[in-house]
Amino acid sequence: MAPNEDRKIREKFKQKTWNEIKTNDSWAIFKIMAEFVEGFERLSKIGPCVTIFGSARTKPDHKYYKLAENIAYELTQNGYGIVTGGGPGIMEAGNRGAHRGKGTSVGLNIELPFEQHDNPYIDPDKSLDFDYFFVRKVMFMKYSQGFVVMPGGFGTMDELFEAITLIQTKKIGKFPIVLVGRKFWSGLINWIQTTLVEEGNISTADLELISIVDTEEEVLEVINTFYKKYSLSPNF
């Protein structure tokens, strides 16, 4: 086990003194508050945006990278801004497509010991850095009017189910959630249908919160249909 991982585990079992609580835990509140304040102030002005989630490990020559870039490009041509996690892989592809389409390109980066670094396709005034995952997720959910979910790992799953849960529980509006890649997502959807629904843990209607597609044209159709249903208009 790495020394830093060992330290984090042992610290959870350590009885803290009052001074340690004041110095470490209590003062962290101000750092958290500062991240919320900066995020709210800067993102409240970005206009209608679609967030693209996906793996940081996807390489530029991969079909999903190219597809994510094309999806972002097409969305900007229809007036939507793009929000990503600001890092490499699918996130870079999303910002790259937005940059190519001369649309709004937002990056919400997170400080990690590996994988994550800013990509060069984010608008200079729309790049934010976060220490806390939960603050960053609030920004995704609060300022997105649609979610496009490309293939990814644990982080992507976390973001996907956060969006589904908040919509299911009516904590945010019923914005579209589009899973891209039928082959990739089919196993998960099948498990949801045969286990979660059959066990009564969710309803069949909850599956209607998700659309599954393969192409940028299908993504655009889902997003545009949502906007037309509510007689809304993106940035044009």
Side-chain angles (χ1 to χ4, degrees), residues 30-218:
F30 296 99
K31 171 63 175 171
I32 293 166
M33 185 168 60
E35 290 195 358
F36 273 120
V37 170
E38 182 180 14
F40 290 161
E41 288 184 347
R42 294 178 62 183
L43 294 176
S44 62
K45 305 170 185 176
I46 62 174
C49 283
V50 174
T51 289
I52 296 179
F53 295 129
S55 176
R57 304 185 186 191
T58 305
K59 303 301 181 186
D61 60 351
H62 196 284
K63 66 177 182 179
Y64 288 135
Y65 182 104
K66 296 173 183 177
L67 181 55
E69 181 181 346
N70 289 337
I71 288 169
Y73 173 82
E74 293 297 336
L75 285 169
T76 61
Q77 299 313 288
N78 281 259
Y80 307 99
I82 300 298
V83 178
T84 80
I90 294 297
M91 295 174 281
E92 177 182 287
N95 290 126
R96 188 173 187 170
H99 181 76
R100 176 159 63 92
K102 296 180 171 53
T104 298
S105 183
V106 181
L108 309 183
N109 212 335
I110 186 79
E111 295 183 12
L112 296 176
F114 59 93
E115 280 187 2
Q116 191 80 3
H117 56 78
D118 286 342
N119 71 67
Y121 302 104
I122 304 167
D123 295 342
D125 61 334
K126 295 180 177 66
S127 177
L128 288 84
D129 293 315
F130 296 89
D131 283 328
Y132 299 96
F133 267 113
F134 69 91
V135 178
R136 180 177 180 243
K137 284 202 295 182
V138 168
M139 301 306 154
F140 283 133
M141 302 304 147
K142 186 175 177 62
Y143 294 106
S144 298
Q145 286 80 42
F147 304 94
V148 174
V149 190
M150 302 295 297
F154 288 142
T156 303
M157 300 298 159
D158 178 42
E159 291 154 347
L160 166 62
F161 283 104
E162 178 86 2
I164 293 173
T165 300
L166 291 177
I167 291 173
Q168 181 203 45
T169 56
K170 304 185 188 309
K171 291 297 184 180
I172 63 174
K174 193 178 178 181
F175 294 110
I177 299 173
V178 188
L179 306 186
V180 181
R182 286 186 174 93
K183 182 178 180 181
F184 180 89
W185 294 107
S186 61
L188 175 64
I189 298 303
N190 181 65
W191 177 79
I192 290 173
Q193 292 171 327
T194 59
T195 302
L196 296 187
V197 173
E198 291 195 9
E199 288 288 334
N201 294 323
I202 66 170
S203 69
T204 304
D206 290 330
L207 290 171
E208 297 174 5
L209 301 175
I210 306 169
S211 300
I212 309 173
V213 306
D214 280 319
T215 68
E216 56 263 40
E217 291 83 6
E218 290 175 297

